[in-house]
Amino acid sequence: MADVECRTERRNRPGTKTVEYYRWPEELFEEMDSTLAVQQYIQQLIRKDFTAIDEILKAPDSQDEGVWKYEHLRQFCMELNGIAVKLQNECHPESCTQMTATDQWIFLCAAHKTPKECPAIDYTRHTLDGAACLLNSNKYFPSRISIKESSVAKLGSVCRRVYRIFSHAYFHHRNLFDEFENETFLCRRFTEFVTKYNLMSKEILIVPIFEEVDTSGFIGHAAESEAYGRMEKLSEG
Amino acid sequence: MKIPESGTMEDGPNSAPHNGQLGPSGVGTSSSSVKVNNSDENNPRLQYSIPGILHFIQHEWARFEMERSQWEVERAELQARIAFLQGERKGQENLKNDLVRRIKMLEYALKQERAKYHKLKYGTELQQGDVKPPIFEDGIGGEPVDGESIFITNSNVNWRQGRQLLRQYLQEIGYTDTIIDVRSNRVRSLLGLNPAGTSEKEDQTGGSALNGGATGGTVGGTAGGSAVASSSPGDLSGNSKRLSETQGRRAPAKKVPPASLAEAMIMDTEAAVMANFDFLAQEGVGVEVDDEDDMSDEMEDNTDDDADDAASASNAATSKRNKIKAKNLRDDVDAETEEVLNEFSFLGSDTDDASHELRVQTDTTDWGFSGTSSGGVSRRSVIPAPVTGPAPAGIGAAGETAHLAGLAGLSSSDDEGVDGHLGLGELAQLTVNNEAEVSYDISVNKESFRKTWNAKYTLRSHFDGVRALAFHPVEPVLVTASEDCTLKLWNLQKTIPAKKSASLDVEPVYTFRGHTGPVLCLAMSSSGEQCFSGGLDGSLQCWNIPGSNIDPYDSYDPSVLSNSLLGHTDAVWGLSLHSQKLHLLSSSADGSVRLWNPQSKSPLLSVFTSESDGIPTSVDFVRDNLNQMVTSYNSAACILFDLETGQPVTRLETDKGVEDSVFGRQINRVISHPTLPLTITAHEDRHIRFYDNNTGKLAHAMVAHLDAVTCLAVDPNGLYLLSGSHDCSIRLWNLENKTCVQEITSHRKKFDESIFDVAFHPSKPFIASAGADALAKVFV
Ligand SMILES: [Zn+2]
Ligand SMILES: [Zn+2]
């Protein structure tokens, strides 16, 4: 659209075509003066290349780590809506009566006054809704510029809960998971994220996304995403 | 109201006609009628007939019955009034007690601090006398004024709300600390409560340090730490002593040492109440500050410049600080403040005996203000009155004053002297406040729309920009649509109790999941049972809205997503619903506008394209002619189509200014006036434009915002227009004269976008805005 060129205003005006949406010149993080700069920056990186996980997770210098983690988790919960929409069509309470991944654990839904054995689809929705409420809570996260240490501590439990959505999809709706993962690289990014910031312990990261890669025997993050990409292509083919 | 003193009805005005009719028939039959008919004794005697007598008796009886019922009504009214006044007084007493209690606590803390300081500095205990924690029950005993016990209750909530409201008003009109300080000082001095000399003399805290043995403080009104003060402590109740301490500098200088104990107490109470209310006024600014903090500030202020050098070291430090403060205050008296002071001069000029005179006037009306405020207005005739107001300026402003006062819950009506003083204090404040508002909102002309909208609810739960919102037709319920791919249902009656904040947070009661990309537009059916959303991926979803009392964590009901309307091949940006039948218009970046009947098996009714005009950005049914629709384009074109034929009916004139605007030709939103043949467009070039549908001519154009105008809404009556812009503000416009009534900064920017949508509730006094900051806000 013409206005993108003639003015540098970064706007999605009514009438913008899908392909033009957010298609504007990149903005340097240092030049973002908005209170939502971190979100802007993360989304800009994802739009640029969603497979470039390391770059996406690399905080700008002097960026407050609490805010960085918080904004990333917001972004994860937002993108997880995509998997929830897919699950709504496929994951029925009759077939998936409980939230499970492997048969080891049944996860209780923490969105209720007393934790409840919700069917997987309800668990998914409730967990995302609960995360939305918590991450937007004026009590715990009144500001998106600075975050209390006590609130940062809450991020870990949100991570653990939303991760179960990945694991359920992986173990029970593998096609759906693969399709979604291909489009987004979300589980990879999430796994890397919680590992990098020690938000979850390795034992409970049960979706074997690293193992598959590890067998291909490479070291170092730079090659990782490419390797994933290749893996996916191979499996598709 | 005629309340008879005795049982007889001699001077009942109604009796005369009956007598005329019936003659002195009552004589001998009823003792009461004997007297009634005294006036007829000069009439010639008439013959009585039984029917006549019976008729007369019946008539009289009916009359008595009627009057009795009138008296009963009047009595009930008076009782209600009494109850109201008592309640009001009780409220004020409670407030007073609460404040006194706080003061006591702070004072106690201060003393302890002082003792600690003293001990640290000199290594000896400070002789402060019996420093003991304040015992609050004293408050009950110390009611010498009315002898009626007052209960300490928790009903301060109401007062807090009142104070909040007052604070908001003050903030809105841009009150600064300085002005409030100056004003309240000025009012006080006008009342003769605080002549300049006094503040130099009294200092209750200094007194307490000096007096040693005394619990601290002076007895009301006597200059700091005098012998009178220390001689009386044993006799006075603890409460009244503390009261006297609290009033400090507000003590009238001309007060002589009280002749009797009771008198002293009355004066104390009076002054204390005054002090409390001044405190209220002063507190009006610091919203974020805790009440406790405010109090301590106030205490500091009270420890005024002190001539008494014998004060303790800490006290000296305090007063030094306060001197500096006072100096700053004086320096800060800028032009604005001076203006404020001038406003007061009218009061000073002729109301030497203000308190008395005003009190009398105060009692005359319900609101208790008519006399005074209109007097004030007439004196303030230099101030521009509402421009187009139908009512004379004076009346309008007076009404406003009363209105304001009523809102603040400050209508004073008791006839005690205390309340008279209060009445003036608050009145003076409010009158001036109001005046500031009048000059600010010059354009507002109708009392009913003097309403100022305030943010009340914050809707947080979306993870990304909120692109659209729509209210339920009757319930306090709305739906928001976001770039986070979800829609959420909000019930404004389900709020989270929030501390410290004037606005309430709301959590959604339902999250609509179905879009896989950002949701861009939204429309709610006139039944409130369905809504429709358009997405970036070209999808158009129809939703059955769950009841607003649904459990947010209920199990998933797939029937909420009823169906999808397939057809658009690119982002759907605009939606509009027919107000009578369930027909839906959608505009898309694929270049087409489509008309749907979502309930039909083949829902697509027709497709409208106008390739030469570019991409449609927004669409609306023409509300006064539902066979037409109006579509805006990113080429600055705006066209009315006939829905039957699919042909363009009127092409709205393109403003010359748009043609070569550096801001682009884009129209962001088009809406149709609910009742008039008027189309309103919001432009990227910061304009709002108005078109006559019949001629297609531009009726009016105005630069409406500092940045692109993105969204519009007209209130259900068609009188007011709401606009939102990427300049972060929403503005309310009077459609009659196209003037801005109110501007509210509402959302923050994400990239270069800020506000995406605004809405009026179709039947309730709510407006809402949706922003790129992932929030939606509702104003009341
Ligand atoms: Zn499942
Ligand atoms: Zn649940």
Side-chain angles (χ1 to χ4, degrees), chain B residues 433-597:
Chain B
N433 291 359
N434 170 48
E435 179 185 69
E437 200 168 276
V438 167
S439 52
Y440 178 68
D441 282 350
I442 276 174
S443 56
V444 189
N445 61 350
K446 290 193 182 105
E447 178 69 22
S448 60
F449 278 92
R450 295 297 318 227
K451 174 174 176 50
T452 306
W453 297 87
N454 293 308
K456 173 142 187 215
Y457 304 97
T458 308
L459 281 50
R460 359 175 137 248
S461 187
H462 281 297
F463 284 123
D464 210 341
V466 183
R467 277 275 169 186
L469 51 78
F471 275 109
H472 188 280
V474 284
E475 290 172 33
V477 164
L478 69 159
V479 176
T480 51
S482 166
E483 292 189 31
D484 70 7
C485 313
T486 66
L487 293 92
K488 289 182 193 255
L489 176 70
W490 310 79
N491 183 344
L492 298 180
Q493 285 166 332
K494 291 192 172 179
T495 55
I496 315 167
K499 249 187 151 187
K500 271 191 176 182
S501 162
S503 79
L504 297 164
D505 282 349
V506 190
E507 280 183 359
V509 292
Y510 189 81
T511 302
F512 300 84
R513 292 195 166 84
H515 285 278
T516 51
V519 191
L520 303 176
C521 52
L522 175 68
M524 171 101 66
S525 74
S526 52
S527 66
E529 288 165 1
Q530 279 139 328
C531 67
F532 305 87
S533 58
L536 183 69
D537 55 6
S539 63
L540 222 174
Q541 314 276 29
C542 314
W543 308 89
N544 294 315
I545 301 176
S548 56
N549 290 315
I550 191 176
D551 174 6
Y553 299 107
D554 211 342
S555 40
Y556 174 55
D557 177 6
S559 69
V560 169
L561 176 53
S562 65
N563 63 319
S564 305
L565 302 176
L566 303 172
H568 282 299
T569 57
D570 208 324
V572 179
W573 279 97
L575 285 177
S576 175
L577 265 174
H578 196 285
S579 43
Q580 281 142 35
K581 52 190 177 185
L582 202 58
H583 279 190
L584 179 73
L585 281 167
S586 61
S587 70
S588 163
D590 66 11
S592 70
V593 172
R594 287 164 195 250
L595 178 65
W596 310 85
N597 177 1

Side-chain angles (χ1 to χ4, degrees), chain A residues 10 12 18 34 40 43 122, chain B residues 556 570 749 751-753:
Chain A
R10 293 173 172 85
N12 298 304
T18 310
S34 157
Q40 291 179 23
Q43 292 185 345
D122 290 335
Chain B
Y556 174 55
D570 208 324
K749 280 198 170 191
F751 288 108
D752 293 318
E753 298 179 309

Side-chain angles (χ1 to χ4, degrees), chain A residues 1 3 6-19 21-22 24-25 27 32-36 39-41 43-44 47 73-75 77-82 84-86 88-89 91-93 109 111-112 116 118-119 121-122 124-139 141-142 144-145, chain B residues 460-465 467 483-486 488 498 501 505 507-508 510-516 518-520 536-538 551-558 561 569-571 573 588-591 615-618 634 662-664 666-669 684 686 707-708 710 726-727 748-753 756 772-775:
Chain A
M1 294 211 341
D3 19 32
C6 73
R7 299 189 47 81
T8 51
E9 275 162 346
R10 293 173 172 85
R11 283 180 187 161
N12 298 304
R13 297 180 177 85
T16 302
K17 288 179 178 295
T18 310
V19 292
Y21 203 70
Y22 277 109
W24 50 58
E27 189 170 14
M32 295 178 178
D33 51 1
S34 157
T35 50
L36 306 175
Q39 183 191 26
Q40 291 179 23
Y41 181 65
Q43 292 185 345
Q44 186 172 284
R47 286 198 174 90
L73 190 52
R74 280 180 71 104
Q75 184 70 24
C77 291
M78 178 168 116
E79 292 189 56
L80 270 164
N81 174 68
V85 170
K86 286 182 195 288
Q88 279 178 175
N89 298 322
C91 175
H92 302 293
C109 177
H112 311 270
K116 209 170 136 189
C118 281
I121 185 60
D122 290 335
T124 302
R125 291 173 52 91
H126 296 169
T127 300
L128 290 179
D129 290 349
C133 285
L134 177 73
L135 294 179
N136 284 293
S137 151
N138 203 23
K139 190 173 162 199
F141 301 100
R144 288 171 74 172
I145 306 171
Chain B
R460 359 175 137 248
S461 187
H462 281 297
F463 284 123
D464 210 341
R467 277 275 169 186
E483 292 189 31
D484 70 7
C485 313
T486 66
K488 289 182 193 255
S501 162
D505 282 349
E507 280 183 359
Y510 189 81
T511 302
F512 300 84
R513 292 195 166 84
H515 285 278
T516 51
V519 191
L520 303 176
L536 183 69
D537 55 6
D551 174 6
Y553 299 107
D554 211 342
S555 40
Y556 174 55
D557 177 6
L561 176 53
T569 57
D570 208 324
W573 279 97
S588 163
D590 66 11
I615 291 175
T617 55
S618 175
N634 62 356
V662 292
F663 301 109
Q666 166 106 8
I667 300 177
N668 286 317
R669 185 69 65 93
E684 189 74 15
R686 311 174 181 196
D707 205 334
T710 55
H726 288 324
D727 69 4
R748 293 183 168 160
K749 280 198 170 191
K750 183 189 165 199
F751 288 108
D752 293 318
E753 298 179 309
F756 291 132
D773 56 2
L775 302 180

